Amino acid sequence: MILQFGFESQIDNILTLIGTIDFKGVKKITTLKEVQSEYHSLIQKMQRRTPGGTPGTVNVITDFEKAKTLRPLFVNDSLLDDKMQADVITETKDDETSDKKALILRAIHELGIYSEVHKALFDTLITDIFILPSSRAKAGSTSQAIGVIWANPKTTYSLHDMVEILVHEMTHHAMFIDELRYVHYSYSDVMDKSTWARSAILNVPRPLDKVLHSAVVATEILLMRANYIGHPVLSKVHPPTNIMLTQLKDAIASTEKVLLQYKGAEKVLTDRANEIFDNVQQQVKALAA
């Protein structure tokens, strides 16, 4: 979201949400450290979860028992759980936990070398990363646990791959925060399969909320490649740039078709979601030029 709407807009979203629970206090915030501290308090009050570690420092959890306590937050039994996410994360010990933590920490540091503002936002938005194994996925985020990333990277991933995972997941959390501020969807319409469109990442039909997330994530990854980290020769995490760009264009076309054909299309995406979608379209045009 940084390369689509700017760092300041992400911080403004956080401050706006802080202001809903502490209107007087938010006016006294003058530093990023204060934002990070109040963000931890916001998470505690809003989601009834105590973030680990200190504000501004990501807490990478390797302790199996502590990791297990976060897993239930990712067991999504919502009607919008179209990919059966409840079965993705395995509640078993991972013998490579220490190596995976080391890779994650190196990637966080590497992210800061590429872009100081990306690392600053990552250190602000993400409070905890827990490691548990899976045979089906490498990482995940959920709006039920804003600030938490589940990670399961292969130890053979390059730093480039791991940086892309971090940017991918951070973008989801930036979208969660943006949605809390503005509201993005009419969920009664999103659940209607006639409104589903093609995802930019998985390249399969999915609910429009996930399609929009996918389009924003794909756009951010492509912009990150174009502006900071370069285009990978061999990527193990995301498709090559030309394929990802093609899938993103297909996702846009699929979404446009749904919005034009569906009777209640104007209600599926709110004005803010349409603004985000329009921005994705403009960014893709520039990337493809």
Side-chain angles (χ1 to χ4, degrees), residues 56-67:
T57 301
V58 181
N59 178 43
V60 181
I61 300 168
T62 56
D63 180 83
F64 178 59
E65 295 302 323
K66 290 181 180 179

Side-chain angles (χ1 to χ4, degrees), residues 8-126:
E8 291 77 12
S9 69
Q10 311 310 310
I11 298 302
D12 187 60
N13 279 348
I14 296 171
L15 289 172
T16 298
L17 293 180
I18 292 171
T20 63
I21 60 174
D22 188 3
F23 182 71
K24 292 182 179 179
V26 74
K27 295 181 179 180
K28 300 176 183 179
I29 296 176
T30 59
T31 68
L32 183 60
K33 282 294 182 185
E34 291 171 340
V35 172
Q36 292 165 342
S37 179
E38 291 304 313
Y39 175 72
H40 271 229
S41 298
L42 174 69
I43 294 297
Q44 285 182 297
K45 295 175 182 177
M46 182 175 64
Q47 299 210 310
R48 302 191 182 283
R49 176 183 71 82
T50 301
T54 58
T57 301
V58 181
N59 178 43
V60 181
I61 300 168
T62 56
D63 180 83
F64 178 59
E65 295 302 323
K66 290 181 180 179
K68 279 202 307 182
T69 65
L70 291 171
R71 180 181 176 273
L73 298 174
F74 285 68
V75 178
N76 185 354
D77 61 357
S78 150
L79 291 173
L80 297 180
D81 181 16
D82 64 308
K83 303 303 292 181
M84 305 302 176
Q85 295 155 340
D87 298 326
V88 169
I89 306 174
T90 306
E91 194 173 309
T92 56
K93 289 186 177 182
D94 188 334
D95 293 335
E96 296 182 314
T97 296
S98 296
D99 291 337
K100 291 179 179 181
K101 177 179 180 178
L103 176 59
I104 291 167
L105 291 175
R106 282 164 47 217
I108 293 173
H109 176 73
E110 188 81 358
L111 178 63
I113 294 174
Y114 285 124
S115 169
E116 291 181 0
V117 290
H118 273 82
K119 185 175 186 300
L121 185 62
F122 189 87
D123 289 342
T124 301
L125 282 180
I126 307 305

Side-chain angles (χ1 to χ4, degrees), residues 9 12-13 17 177-184 270 272-273 275:
S9 69
D12 187 60
N13 279 348
L17 293 180
I177 293 292
D178 196 274
E179 184 184 354
L180 282 176
R181 178 179 181 180
Y182 292 104
V183 180
H184 288 172
T270 66
R272 173 57 175 170
E275 178 186 3

